[in-house]
Short mmCIF file of all heavy atoms in Angstrom, two decimals:
data_model
loop_
_atom_site.label_atom_id
_atom_site.label_comp_id
_atom_site.label_asym_id
_atom_site.label_seq_id
_atom_site.Cartn_x
_atom_site.Cartn_y
_atom_site.Cartn_z
N ILE F 2 106.66 73.55 159.65
CA ILE F 2 105.90 74.76 159.99
C ILE F 2 104.65 74.85 159.12
O ILE F 2 104.70 74.67 157.91
CB ILE F 2 106.79 76.01 159.85
CG1 ILE F 2 106.08 77.25 160.33
CG2 ILE F 2 107.30 76.17 158.45
CD1 ILE F 2 106.96 78.47 160.38
N THR F 3 103.51 75.08 159.77
CA THR F 3 102.23 75.25 159.06
C THR F 3 101.49 76.44 159.66
O THR F 3 101.85 76.91 160.75
CB THR F 3 101.35 74.00 159.20
OG1 THR F 3 100.98 73.86 160.58
CG2 THR F 3 102.06 72.74 158.72
N ASP F 4 100.47 76.88 158.97
CA ASP F 4 99.64 77.96 159.52
C ASP F 4 99.05 77.57 160.87
O ASP F 4 99.00 78.38 161.79
CB ASP F 4 98.52 78.34 158.55
CG ASP F 4 99.02 79.13 157.35
OD1 ASP F 4 100.23 79.44 157.28
OD2 ASP F 4 98.19 79.45 156.47
N ASP F 5 98.62 76.32 160.99
CA ASP F 5 98.03 75.85 162.24
C ASP F 5 99.06 75.82 163.37
O ASP F 5 98.75 76.18 164.51
CB ASP F 5 97.40 74.47 162.06
CG ASP F 5 96.13 74.51 161.23
OD1 ASP F 5 95.47 75.58 161.20
OD2 ASP F 5 95.80 73.50 160.60
N SER F 6 100.29 75.41 163.06
CA SER F 6 101.31 75.37 164.11
C SER F 6 101.69 76.79 164.54
O SER F 6 101.95 77.03 165.72
CB SER F 6 102.55 74.60 163.64
OG SER F 6 103.20 75.23 162.56
N ILE F 7 101.68 77.73 163.60
CA ILE F 7 101.98 79.13 163.94
C ILE F 7 100.86 79.70 164.81
O ILE F 7 101.11 80.35 165.82
CB ILE F 7 102.16 79.98 162.67
CG1 ILE F 7 103.38 79.51 161.89
CG2 ILE F 7 102.28 81.47 163.01
CD1 ILE F 7 103.44 80.02 160.46
N LYS F 8 99.61 79.44 164.42
CA LYS F 8 98.48 79.94 165.21
C LYS F 8 98.45 79.32 166.60
O LYS F 8 98.14 79.99 167.58
CB LYS F 8 97.16 79.70 164.47
CG LYS F 8 97.01 80.63 163.27
CD LYS F 8 95.61 80.69 162.77
CE LYS F 8 95.33 79.67 161.74
NZ LYS F 8 94.01 79.78 161.13
N ALA F 9 98.81 78.05 166.72
CA ALA F 9 98.87 77.39 168.03
C ALA F 9 99.95 78.05 168.88
O ALA F 9 99.76 78.26 170.08
CB ALA F 9 99.16 75.91 167.86
N TYR F 10 101.06 78.40 168.28
CA TYR F 10 102.14 79.08 169.02
C TYR F 10 101.65 80.45 169.48
O TYR F 10 101.88 80.84 170.62
CB TYR F 10 103.37 79.21 168.12
CG TYR F 10 104.64 79.53 168.88
CD1 TYR F 10 105.53 78.53 169.24
CD2 TYR F 10 104.93 80.84 169.27
CE1 TYR F 10 106.69 78.82 169.95
CE2 TYR F 10 106.08 81.13 169.97
CZ TYR F 10 106.96 80.12 170.31
OH TYR F 10 108.10 80.41 171.02
N LEU F 11 100.99 81.17 168.59
CA LEU F 11 100.45 82.49 168.94
C LEU F 11 99.44 82.42 170.08
O LEU F 11 99.40 83.30 170.94
CB LEU F 11 99.82 83.15 167.72
CG LEU F 11 100.78 83.85 166.78
CD1 LEU F 11 100.18 84.01 165.39
CD2 LEU F 11 101.19 85.19 167.35
N GLU F 12 98.64 81.38 170.10
CA GLU F 12 97.64 81.22 171.17
C GLU F 12 98.30 81.13 172.54
O GLU F 12 97.72 81.54 173.53
CB GLU F 12 96.80 79.96 170.93
CG GLU F 12 95.76 80.11 169.85
CD GLU F 12 94.64 81.09 170.23
OE1 GLU F 12 94.24 81.13 171.41
OE2 GLU F 12 94.19 81.81 169.33
N ARG F 13 99.50 80.62 172.60
CA ARG F 13 100.20 80.42 173.87
C ARG F 13 101.03 81.63 174.28
O ARG F 13 101.50 81.69 175.41
CB ARG F 13 101.11 79.20 173.77
CG ARG F 13 100.32 77.93 173.51
CD ARG F 13 101.18 76.72 173.45
NE ARG F 13 101.76 76.50 174.78
CZ ARG F 13 102.79 75.72 175.00
NH1 ARG F 13 103.36 75.08 174.01
NH2 ARG F 13 103.27 75.57 176.21
N MET F 14 101.20 82.60 173.39
CA MET F 14 102.06 83.74 173.67
C MET F 14 101.35 84.81 174.49
O MET F 14 100.16 85.07 174.31
CB MET F 14 102.56 84.38 172.37
CG MET F 14 103.56 83.52 171.62
SD MET F 14 104.17 84.32 170.14
CE MET F 14 105.28 85.52 170.86
N TYR F 15 102.14 85.44 175.35
CA TYR F 15 101.65 86.60 176.10
C TYR F 15 101.56 87.78 175.13
O TYR F 15 102.39 87.93 174.24
CB TYR F 15 102.64 86.93 177.23
CG TYR F 15 102.26 88.17 178.00
CD1 TYR F 15 101.26 88.13 178.95
CD2 TYR F 15 102.90 89.38 177.75
CE1 TYR F 15 100.89 89.26 179.65
CE2 TYR F 15 102.54 90.52 178.44
CZ TYR F 15 101.54 90.45 179.40
OH TYR F 15 101.18 91.57 180.08
N GLY F 16 100.56 88.62 175.28
CA GLY F 16 100.42 89.80 174.43
C GLY F 16 99.81 89.51 173.08
O GLY F 16 100.01 90.24 172.12
N ASN F 17 99.05 88.44 172.98
CA ASN F 17 98.46 88.03 171.70
C ASN F 17 97.05 88.58 171.47
O ASN F 17 96.36 88.14 170.57
CB ASN F 17 98.45 86.51 171.60
CG ASN F 17 97.52 85.87 172.62
OD1 ASN F 17 96.88 86.55 173.42
ND2 ASN F 17 97.45 84.55 172.60
N GLU F 18 96.63 89.53 172.29
CA GLU F 18 95.26 90.02 172.22
C GLU F 18 94.88 90.56 170.84
O GLU F 18 93.77 90.32 170.36
CB GLU F 18 95.02 91.12 173.27
CG GLU F 18 95.11 90.66 174.69
CD GLU F 18 96.55 90.56 175.20
OE1 GLU F 18 97.47 91.13 174.56
OE2 GLU F 18 96.75 89.89 176.22
N LEU F 19 95.80 91.28 170.20
CA LEU F 19 95.50 91.83 168.87
C LEU F 19 95.24 90.71 167.87
O LEU F 19 94.37 90.83 167.01
CB LEU F 19 96.64 92.72 168.39
CG LEU F 19 96.86 94.02 169.17
CD1 LEU F 19 98.12 94.72 168.71
CD2 LEU F 19 95.65 94.93 169.02
N PHE F 20 96.00 89.64 167.98
CA PHE F 20 95.82 88.50 167.07
C PHE F 20 94.47 87.83 167.35
O PHE F 20 93.74 87.49 166.41
CB PHE F 20 96.96 87.50 167.23
CG PHE F 20 96.85 86.33 166.29
CD1 PHE F 20 97.13 86.46 164.94
CD2 PHE F 20 96.43 85.09 166.76
CE1 PHE F 20 97.03 85.39 164.08
CE2 PHE F 20 96.32 84.01 165.91
CZ PHE F 20 96.63 84.16 164.57
N LYS F 21 94.13 87.63 168.61
CA LYS F 21 92.90 86.94 168.97
C LYS F 21 91.66 87.73 168.57
O LYS F 21 90.60 87.15 168.34
CB LYS F 21 92.89 86.64 170.46
CG LYS F 21 93.90 85.56 170.84
CD LYS F 21 94.05 85.41 172.32
CE LYS F 21 93.02 84.47 172.87
NZ LYS F 21 93.21 84.18 174.30
N GLU F 22 91.79 89.05 168.46
CA GLU F 22 90.66 89.89 168.06
C GLU F 22 90.32 89.75 166.58
O GLU F 22 89.23 90.10 166.16
CB GLU F 22 90.97 91.36 168.36
CG GLU F 22 90.99 91.70 169.83
CD GLU F 22 91.45 93.12 170.09
OE1 GLU F 22 91.70 93.88 169.13
OE2 GLU F 22 91.57 93.48 171.27
N LEU F 23 91.25 89.24 165.79
CA LEU F 23 91.03 89.10 164.35
C LEU F 23 90.11 87.93 164.06
O LEU F 23 90.10 86.93 164.78
CB LEU F 23 92.36 88.87 163.63
CG LEU F 23 93.41 89.98 163.70
CD1 LEU F 23 94.70 89.50 163.06
CD2 LEU F 23 92.91 91.24 163.04
N SER F 24 89.37 88.06 162.96
CA SER F 24 88.56 86.93 162.50
C SER F 24 89.51 85.85 161.95
O SER F 24 90.68 86.13 161.67
CB SER F 24 87.59 87.38 161.40
OG SER F 24 88.32 87.77 160.24
N GLU F 25 89.01 84.66 161.78
CA GLU F 25 89.82 83.55 161.27
C GLU F 25 90.48 83.88 159.91
O GLU F 25 91.68 83.67 159.74
CB GLU F 25 88.97 82.28 161.17
CG GLU F 25 89.72 81.05 160.72
CD GLU F 25 90.60 80.46 161.80
OE1 GLU F 25 90.36 80.71 162.98
OE2 GLU F 25 91.55 79.73 161.44
N PRO F 26 89.71 84.43 158.95
CA PRO F 26 90.35 84.78 157.67
C PRO F 26 91.45 85.85 157.82
O PRO F 26 92.48 85.79 157.15
CB PRO F 26 89.20 85.31 156.80
CG PRO F 26 87.97 84.74 157.42
CD PRO F 26 88.25 84.61 158.88
N GLU F 27 91.24 86.80 158.70
CA GLU F 27 92.24 87.84 158.93
C GLU F 27 93.49 87.27 159.61
O GLU F 27 94.61 87.68 159.31
CB GLU F 27 91.66 88.99 159.75
CG GLU F 27 90.62 89.81 159.00
CD GLU F 27 91.16 90.46 157.74
OE1 GLU F 27 92.25 91.05 157.78
OE2 GLU F 27 90.49 90.35 156.70
N GLN F 28 93.28 86.32 160.52
CA GLN F 28 94.42 85.66 161.14
C GLN F 28 95.26 84.93 160.10
O GLN F 28 96.49 85.02 160.10
CB GLN F 28 93.95 84.66 162.21
CG GLN F 28 93.42 85.29 163.46
CD GLN F 28 92.94 84.26 164.48
OE1 GLN F 28 92.83 83.07 164.18
NE2 GLN F 28 92.65 84.72 165.68
N GLU F 29 94.59 84.24 159.20
CA GLU F 29 95.30 83.52 158.14
C GLU F 29 96.08 84.47 157.24
O GLU F 29 97.21 84.19 156.85
CB GLU F 29 94.32 82.68 157.33
CG GLU F 29 93.77 81.51 158.11
CD GLU F 29 92.72 80.71 157.35
OE1 GLU F 29 92.56 80.91 156.13
OE2 GLU F 29 92.06 79.88 158.00
N LYS F 30 95.49 85.62 156.94
CA LYS F 30 96.16 86.60 156.08
C LYS F 30 97.40 87.18 156.73
O LYS F 30 98.44 87.32 156.07
CB LYS F 30 95.19 87.73 155.70
CG LYS F 30 94.13 87.32 154.72
CD LYS F 30 93.20 88.47 154.43
CE LYS F 30 92.07 88.04 153.52
NZ LYS F 30 91.13 89.13 153.26
N ILE F 31 97.34 87.53 158.01
CA ILE F 31 98.50 88.13 158.67
C ILE F 31 99.61 87.10 158.86
O ILE F 31 100.78 87.42 158.71
CB ILE F 31 98.12 88.83 160.00
CG1 ILE F 31 99.28 89.65 160.55
CG2 ILE F 31 97.70 87.84 161.06
CD1 ILE F 31 99.36 91.03 160.04
N VAL F 32 99.24 85.85 159.14
CA VAL F 32 100.24 84.79 159.26
C VAL F 32 100.93 84.59 157.91
O VAL F 32 102.16 84.50 157.82
CB VAL F 32 99.61 83.48 159.78
CG1 VAL F 32 100.56 82.30 159.59
CG2 VAL F 32 99.21 83.63 161.24
N PHE F 33 100.14 84.54 156.83
CA PHE F 33 100.70 84.38 155.50
C PHE F 33 101.62 85.54 155.15
O PHE F 33 102.74 85.35 154.67
CB PHE F 33 99.57 84.27 154.46
CG PHE F 33 100.07 84.18 153.05
CD1 PHE F 33 100.54 82.98 152.54
CD2 PHE F 33 100.07 85.31 152.23
CE1 PHE F 33 101.01 82.90 151.23
CE2 PHE F 33 100.54 85.23 150.93
CZ PHE F 33 101.00 84.02 150.42
#
Side-chain angles (χ1 to χ4, degrees):
I2 186 172
T3 65
D4 286 357
D5 289 334
S6 65
I7 295 165
K8 288 196 270 186
Y10 196 97
L11 278 159
E12 284 293 323
R13 298 182 66 197
M14 290 182 75
Y15 176 78
N17 66 359
E18 295 81 16
L19 293 173
F20 182 75
K21 290 171 86 174
E22 290 173 3
L23 297 174
S24 66
E25 184 75 22
E27 291 300 314
Q28 288 179 350
E29 290 176 12
K30 287 179 184 178
I31 190 87
V32 167
F33 176 80

